[in-house]
Amino acid sequence: MDALLDLLNSRPLVNGEEHDALGDPAGGRRWAREHGGEGSLAELALLREARDALRDVVCGESSPAALSPLLEGVHQVPEFTPDGLQWTVKTPPHARLAVEVVLAWAATEKQLPGRLRPCANDECRLFLLDRSRANRARWCSMAVCGNRAKARRHYERTR
């Protein structure tokens, strides 16, 4: 799940300027390797495609079917281990990390439906995974986006 949020949040706005962790080959290679990838150009292209498709799905702009092309050529293979039957996902090497992120999204939707969402701050591009009991978290960070929203509301009330 960490790679899922990290990928969705890999293109934040900082002081109104976009910072894309996957934008240049060196930075993208570093990001991919930190998340267990190989850092190849093909992998980075697929990660950018996965990020954009997932963003659209999580924001409700696309249906989950938009993720299907990311799973082409992926197979599940049964293997017997000392712990019993285990299913292993087989992917082309450059696609493994993107596939893992899509599978993490599917698991999140199954286990925590509706809890992965964009920050409620319109000036923020980050996403959050709401783990609160009430399922009412709205901001990626209470310290940043939450305080800004509360300060804005307070200013509007006192004007």
Side-chain angles (χ1 to χ4, degrees):
M1 248 185 275
D2 291 340
L4 170 61
L5 267 179
D6 287 352
L7 183 63
L8 284 169
N9 291 337
S10 66
R11 200 170 59 189
L13 287 178
V14 178
N15 297 324
E17 187 177 318
E18 179 180 275
H19 290 270
D20 188 349
L22 304 175
D24 69 275
R29 190 173 295 114
R30 188 177 329 106
W31 189 97
R33 288 181 177 153
E34 287 172 359
H35 291 85
E38 59 184 27
S40 70
L41 293 178
E43 181 180 52
L44 295 180
L46 203 54
L47 285 169
R48 286 190 291 271
E49 183 182 336
R51 175 183 61 193
D52 295 344
L54 282 164
R55 182 191 58 77
D56 290 347
V57 169
V58 172
C59 290
E61 297 168 10
S62 295
S63 79
L67 302 172
S68 293
L70 297 166
L71 300 177
E72 288 178 10
V74 175
H75 304 291
Q76 236 182 359
V77 179
E79 295 179 11
F80 281 102
T81 68
D83 297 327
L85 180 66
Q86 180 177 340
W87 291 90
T88 304
V89 176
K90 301 288 184 182
T91 69
H94 75 281
R96 185 187 53 76
L97 188 52
V99 167
E100 286 177 1
V101 170
V102 170
L103 295 176
W105 168 82
T108 300
E109 281 302 297
K110 185 175 184 178
Q111 296 164 3
L112 302 166
R115 291 184 175 250
L116 177 64
R117 54 182 166 260
C119 179
N121 178 358
D122 293 335
E123 298 166 8
C124 180
R125 274 204 201 150
L126 299 181
F127 290 79
L128 65 123
L129 181 60
D130 185 357
R131 295 185 174 151
S132 69
R133 177 175 272 171
N135 190 21
R136 294 178 57 172
R138 298 182 54 207
W139 301 289
C140 63
S141 164
M142 190 61 202
V144 178
C145 290
N147 280 342
R148 285 181 185 156
K150 288 181 177 194
R152 222 175 290 128
R153 282 198 311 264
H154 175 73
Y155 176 76
E156 293 298 322
R157 276 195 315 267
T158 58
R159 262 192 334 159

